[in-house]
Amino acid sequence: MNAPRVVVAATRPAVRQLGHRITSTSTKSPSLRPIRHLHTQAPRSSQAAASAEAVVDAERPPSASSNPALSFPCLDAVETRTQTLSRRSRSQAGPEPSYTTGQHQTFRSKDPLLLDWGGILPEFDVAYETWGTLNVDKSNAILLHTGLSASSHAHSTATNPKPGWWERFIGPSCPLDTDKYFVICTNVIGGCYGSTGPSSVDPANGQRYATRFPILTMEDMVRAQFRLLDNMGIERLYASVGSSMGGMQSLAAGAMEPERVGRIVSVSGCARSHPYSIAMRHTQRQVLMMDPAWARGFYYSSVPPHMGMKLAREIATVTYRSGPEWEQRFGRRRADSSRPPAFCPDFLIETYLDHAGEKWCLEYDANSLLYVSKAMDLFDLGAEHRSRVAEMRQQNARKLKDYGKGATTPAEEAKSDLCTLTLPATPYEEQDADAAALDSPSTPTTANTQPPTASPADPPSDLVRGMASLASTPTLVLGVASDILFPAWQQHEIAAALRKTGNARVTHVELGEDKSLFGHDTFLLDLEGVGGSIKRFLE
């Protein structure tokens, strides 16, 4: 009979304070000087227990290991944060941050809003900030659309002097010249910086929406923004301006309300999300949803899913910048080449990603990331998609008409809206036809696909039909050659589709890698290339 086996586990050592993180992420500095100590901490917590466990044969005494166990300070940091948040969750303050960036104005719509996929917001808030002065006839208003996780705080204000995310682009004589224009920026619905989103309270039951919040689209966000404009008495915008996700919204605003939008600026945006960007956002959502603390979205009274959020942000950061920039900025340099390699952040590029995730993991609501990023995936200005959504809205119009009148009970309404999505019975398998399609230069272009080799002068006819309402709207389309998330061919596609509609007032600008190596984030950083082009177009 085999001898019994005994599990010996080390006791949990005391928690030690981590070293400092990166103190600078300036793109102009060729050398970052992280002083985070990667190898000097003893393993602890669950990592300590796992690494110290030794299954020992009872017939002979345990012997020393051939090599010492690796330390994992990055996991220690996550566990320390979890412990801190757990302690806070037992206090009255709660673990969830306020998700606000300071003073802003709030518009509250008491009229219900029907969303594209059938959901209803019985009422909603839109957080916004303004700069400049609205003229007498209200003809100088510019609606500024944000990227995925930005707040309405694009520029400092008297009540919130903190620099905004587009601080240098807004102000007297700036690209958005406040001596000329009245600039309005909102936090999108679905967000968490003052506008109604998953972390908001559902007026129907007094509880947080969480994942009871309905699926959103870019067009839904724009509808909420136009409710704000209606409330301000602004019938027509001088311009609709946006970058990244904001570039999508800017195009959507013009396509939905062409008579209300005088000009369009779309920077590093697209007319339809393509598979690579969908795949990257899917990966971020999956990492977040696999965090046990996410709890299917119902985490507001407990520890938020900071681990998943950190990893999701690291993945996103990889798509926001470019390889050439990182080659110049980090190269293959390690944080401390005198120490042995480690699985935790070791190379400078790893410490940069770690810093990005650490900084952001508690600054944005996890559910907002899910909803807003999914809305980006669903974006498509093609005629087929727009027609299908319009048909859905027509079918769901009775919900809005009957809302609050007792035509159906809440239980019946909920049952009719239950998600019926199921996973495929068999996993996806590569088909011979897929490879043949890629090899064939004569593959026909369908409604939502375009061969990588297609000429930018030949956008899909479906997209041209879907953008027909923009045929007379002056439009600036700006792209960046080093952008991998919204690649330059997508801006070529927008410009070409607009020209195919008969629009003769399309300005297309592409910044080559000689002008910018900042990738997708160029719209946040390049005041001359991006800002200068916008200023000239708006004049």
Side-chain angles (χ1 to χ4, degrees):
M1 183 172 63
N2 293 332
R5 297 171 69 80
V6 179
V7 176
V8 179
T11 58
R12 186 188 190 113
V15 173
R16 297 184 186 177
Q17 180 65 38
L18 285 176
H20 296 295
R21 294 191 296 270
I22 297 176
T23 57
S24 171
T25 57
S26 170
T27 57
K28 295 183 178 181
S29 173
S31 175
L32 298 179
R33 306 177 72 85
I35 53 176
R36 192 175 187 176
H37 304 296
L38 299 177
H39 309 292
T40 58
Q41 295 169 301
R44 66 171 182 240
S45 183
S46 61
Q47 284 74 43
S51 62
E53 268 184 14
V55 179
V56 182
D57 193 317
E59 294 181 350
R60 59 182 182 181
S63 58
S65 171
S66 301
N67 299 284
L70 296 177
S71 61
F72 297 93
C74 54
L75 301 185
D76 295 339
V78 169
E79 290 179 355
T80 298
R81 184 163 55 241
T82 298
Q83 293 165 5
T84 301
L85 292 170
S86 296
R87 287 193 294 271
R88 288 174 57 190
S89 69
R90 292 190 289 270
S91 72
Q92 292 183 348
E96 199 66 14
S98 63
Y99 298 127
T100 182
T101 55
Q103 292 294 321
H104 55 255
Q105 300 179 71
T106 302
F107 161 67
R108 172 162 292 181
S109 175
K110 289 290 189 178
D111 295 325
L113 180 66
L114 175 65
L115 306 179
D116 279 340
W117 284 89
I120 289 180
L121 293 180
E123 60 184 56
F124 62 91
D125 290 344
V126 174
Y128 70 100
E129 296 176 50
T130 66
W131 304 268
T133 303
L134 187 62
N135 60 15
V136 176
D137 62 0
K138 300 184 178 182
S139 62
N140 68 332
I142 290 178
L143 180 59
L144 175 61
H145 307 273
T146 72
L148 185 154
S149 59
S151 70
S152 61
H153 193 60
H155 187 273
S156 54
T157 63
T159 55
N160 185 1
K162 179 182 177 181
W165 56 266
W166 236 26
E167 186 74 18
R168 298 183 302 153
F169 290 74
I170 302 171
S173 301
C174 291
L176 300 189
D177 189 344
T178 51
D179 287 338
K180 297 180 179 179
Y181 312 120
F182 179 65
V183 182
I184 309 162
C185 184
T186 79
N187 176 224
V188 298
I189 58 169
C192 55
Y193 292 127
S195 294
T196 296
S199 59
S200 302
V201 172
D202 181 351
N205 59 14
Q207 300 175 359
R208 306 249 202 170
Y209 279 106
T211 45
R212 289 182 290 249
F213 197 77
I215 290 291
L216 288 166
T217 66
M218 291 290 110
E219 289 81 357
D220 292 328
M221 297 173 184
V222 171
R223 288 186 186 93
Q225 292 168 334
F226 273 99
R227 288 271 186 98
L228 167 64
L229 296 179
D230 292 341
N231 185 68
M232 300 174 79
I234 298 172
E235 296 182 359
R236 180 176 169 83
L237 291 168
Y238 181 80
S240 174
V241 177
S243 304
S244 187
M245 184 183 84
M248 297 174 165
Q249 294 177 69
S250 188
L251 288 169
M256 294 165 64
E257 302 276 1
E259 71 286 351
R260 297 190 66 176
V261 178
R263 289 172 171 80
I264 291 174
V265 174
S266 180
V267 179
S268 296
C270 65
R272 56 199 176 114
S273 284
H274 73 115
Y276 174 80
S277 60
I278 293 173
M280 295 309 297
R281 288 188 289 266
H282 162 77
T283 305
Q284 294 166 49
R285 289 193 297 269
Q286 288 289 292
V287 164
L288 169 57
M289 292 163 64
M290 295 302 175
D291 185 333
W294 179 62
R296 305 203 174 203
F298 293 88
Y299 52 80
Y300 292 109
S301 60
S302 57
V303 176
H306 60 94
M307 293 183 290
M309 285 293 279
K310 176 181 177 179
L311 294 173
R313 185 61 172 187
E314 291 191 35
I315 295 170
T317 303
V318 171
T319 71
Y320 293 158
R321 295 300 182 100
S322 77
E325 180 211 352
W326 284 352
E327 179 65 33
Q328 288 187 9
R329 192 170 166 194
F330 305 115
R332 289 183 43 78
R333 294 192 300 278
R334 294 176 58 213
D336 188 346
S337 58
S338 69
R339 295 188 176 276
F343 291 128
C344 283
D346 183 9
F347 285 90
L348 281 185
I349 182 60
E350 294 175 323
T351 63
Y352 170 76
L353 295 176
D354 182 70
H355 173 69
E358 285 281 331
K359 179 182 176 183
W360 195 75
C361 67
L362 289 175
E363 288 187 357
Y364 195 72
D365 181 42
N367 284 335
S368 284
L369 175 61
L370 297 178
Y371 278 90
V372 177
S373 69
K374 188 65 179 182
M376 294 177 73
D377 292 352
L378 294 170
F379 184 62
D380 182 357
L381 288 180
E384 182 181 326
H385 178 77
R386 295 189 69 190
S387 177
R388 185 165 59 250
V389 172
E391 184 178 342
M392 282 194 304
R393 288 188 64 82
Q394 186 174 9
Q395 293 172 355
N396 288 318
R398 55 129 188 124
K399 293 184 180 180
L400 197 58
K401 182 179 179 181
D402 297 336
Y403 184 78
K405 296 181 179 178
T408 58
T409 67
E412 290 172 337
E413 193 67 44
K415 185 176 180 180
S416 69
D417 287 335
L418 282 177
C419 177
T420 57
L421 177 68
T422 58
L423 294 176
T426 56
Y428 174 80
E429 295 182 2
E430 294 288 348
Q431 304 294 320
D432 292 341
D434 294 341
L438 291 175
D439 292 337
S440 173
S442 60
T443 302
T445 299
T446 60
N448 293 307
T449 62
Q450 179 176 358
T453 55
S455 165
D458 250 346
S461 58
D462 174 75
L463 191 60
V464 175
R465 293 195 306 275
M467 298 177 71
S469 58
L470 297 172
S472 60
T473 308
T475 304
L476 169 64
V477 182
L478 192 149
V480 181
S482 59
D483 190 344
I484 62 172
L485 185 59
F486 286 75
W489 72 260
Q490 290 212 296
Q491 291 84 56
H492 278 276
E493 182 177 76
I494 297 170
L498 287 171
R499 288 172 179 143
K500 284 279 189 179
T501 67
N503 192 330
R505 294 184 288 178
V506 179
T507 303
H508 178 216
V509 176
E510 181 176 319
L511 302 179
E513 291 190 4
D514 58 323
K515 297 291 185 182
S516 177
L517 295 180
F518 296 128
H520 187 63
D521 273 357
T522 296
F523 77 89
L524 294 169
L525 304 168
D526 192 339
L527 184 61
E528 174 54 35
V530 175
S533 297
I534 294 174
K535 183 175 184 179
R536 289 187 290 273
F537 175 76
L538 293 177
E539 289 175 346

